[in-house]
Amino acid sequence: MTEPTVGAYVLAGELHAADGDHVRAFGEYDAVMREFVEACQKQGADGAKWFIPASRWFAAFRNLNFRLLPYLPWRKVIEELPLKVGNKVDLRDYAAPPRQPAVRQR
């Protein structure tokens, strides 16, 4: 799931759980999302260093790492980085709202 998708899910769930009390829902949303958002932002800033190298030497080092990645002992660490960030949020199982017909009955 992406950060906006997770945020939308949590916000909708918290608004429903707070019975429409947006002040309470926003507070809960912030509590649930803060660590996840901070981790996403840090991963983005750290990842930018790999995609925008500061020197030719680092660009060559990065390219060599990408070519050798399947054979390097730390490949699992790199593969699991997004999972670490994704596990920073505790997705609650919000109760589903009552079903309502899509079209009003006359």
Side-chain angles (χ1 to χ4, degrees), residues 5 7-8 15-16 19 23 26 43 46 51 54 57 61-62 64 69 74 78 86 91 98:
T5 306
L15 282 168
H16 178 69
D19 209 21
V23 174
F26 290 164
Q43 186 181 39
D46 292 347
F51 294 105
W57 179 88
F61 174 74
R62 176 205 57 194
L64 181 63
L69 190 60
W74 57 81
I78 294 169
L91 291 180

Side-chain angles (χ1 to χ4, degrees), residues 71-87:
Y71 313 104
L72 296 174
W74 57 81
R75 78 172 185 276
K76 283 288 184 198
V77 173
I78 294 169
E79 290 172 358
E80 293 173 0
L81 278 175
L83 296 176
K84 280 185 166 182
V85 172
N87 290 331

Side-chain angles (χ1 to χ4, degrees), residues 33-98:
M33 293 293 294
R34 180 170 298 279
E35 187 179 359
F36 176 63
V37 170
E38 288 172 354
C40 286
Q41 290 172 340
K42 181 178 181 335
Q43 186 181 39
D46 292 347
K49 295 174 189 173
W50 280 91
F51 294 105
I52 308 168
S55 67
R56 287 179 185 235
W57 179 88
F58 192 79
F61 174 74
R62 176 205 57 194
N63 294 344
L64 181 63
N65 262 282
F66 282 142
R67 275 187 256 137
L68 295 176
L69 190 60
Y71 313 104
L72 296 174
W74 57 81
R75 78 172 185 276
K76 283 288 184 198
V77 173
I78 294 169
E79 290 172 358
E80 293 173 0
L81 278 175
L83 296 176
K84 280 185 166 182
V85 172
N87 290 331
K88 295 277 184 190
V89 65
D90 180 28
L91 291 180
R92 300 175 186 162
D93 190 14
Y94 298 104

Side-chain angles (χ1 to χ4, degrees), residues 8-18 94:
Y9 174 80
V10 172
L11 182 57
E14 292 301 337
L15 282 168
H16 178 69
Y94 298 104

